[in-house]
Amino acid sequence: MNQQEYSIGFVFNARMSQILLIKKGHGPKCVIGRWNGIGGHIELGETPLQCQVREFEEETGVHLPEANWAKFTELRGADFTVHCFWAVSNFAVYNARTKTDERVEIINTRAYGLQNITNIPLAPNLTWWIPFLKDKTTKNHLCAVLANYMKDDELDADTNAAI
């Protein structure tokens, strides 16, 4: 089986009130039409962190160096691994522009509130990742953890729930 590797990143402004996301037009069916972190496929010879820096710049036009990113989890499925990063950068949030066929936009997390973040179409896991990363009490305990992920066809695209 061919194992695919990806990186994905989430960038907040300094007040943690806004996050930069991308509206997915392609990829696994559980993310199409939903807001997701910015990232992509890891190229041969590239580390997950190098991929994150490259993909973020390709999709937003903003170079956010490796030192700005922190890994917070890794998702693994039968045939893929997703390395998940986050960063805080006012410059990146406010200067990012759509550079591909997928729209990049600032999402105001305060407007939705942590309880109502599910009112916008988010990719699976973002309904808890965003509040987790925003929570000041968890920041001192962030570490890379491993999570197993279900295949695309085991997710209901309308509810983010297993079917």
Side-chain angles (χ1 to χ4, degrees):
M1 183 175 303
N2 191 11
Q3 182 76 13
Q4 298 292 313
E5 285 198 82
Y6 305 89
S7 72
I8 189 169
F10 304 91
V11 180
F12 290 88
N13 68 340
R15 294 181 67 198
M16 302 294 286
S17 60
Q18 296 175 317
I19 186 170
L20 195 61
L21 297 177
I22 192 166
K23 185 81 171 260
K24 295 302 292 175
H26 45 80
K29 68 181 178 180
C30 64
V31 300
I32 294 175
R34 297 178 177 274
W35 293 101
N36 201 3
I38 298 168
H41 186 264
I42 297 174
E43 295 179 357
L44 186 62
E46 192 174 47
T47 68
L49 185 54
Q50 289 168 337
C51 174
Q52 185 55 49
V53 171
R54 177 185 53 77
E55 286 284 346
F56 189 81
E57 187 169 1
E58 286 176 1
E59 295 180 1
T60 68
V62 174
H63 178 75
L64 195 56
E66 289 183 17
N68 290 76
W69 295 99
K71 188 171 183 178
F72 71 93
T73 196
E74 185 176 295
L75 299 177
R76 288 191 181 167
D79 58 351
F80 68 90
T81 301
V82 181
H83 303 270
C84 306
F85 297 90
W86 77 296
V88 175
S89 171
N90 282 344
F91 180 84
V93 169
Y94 301 127
N95 289 285
R97 301 292 178 262
T98 299
K99 298 293 185 181
T100 68
D101 61 341
E102 297 176 310
R103 189 173 83 220
V104 172
E105 194 169 304
I106 298 169
I107 304 296
N108 186 342
T109 60
R110 276 205 184 137
Y112 294 101
L114 294 181
Q115 302 85 354
N116 299 319
I117 197 72
T118 58
N119 290 343
I120 59 174
L122 294 172
N125 294 317
L126 269 61
T127 56
W128 67 268
W129 281 353
I130 292 171
F132 176 79
L133 291 169
K134 284 182 53 114
D135 186 341
K136 290 179 171 65
T137 63
T138 61
K139 287 209 182 57
N140 294 333
H141 305 288
L142 284 178
C143 62
V145 295
L146 177 64
N148 288 321
Y149 201 71
M150 296 181 293
K151 291 182 180 177
D152 295 345
D153 56 4
E154 294 172 337
L155 293 174
D156 178 343
D158 293 329
T159 65
N160 288 343
I163 54 174

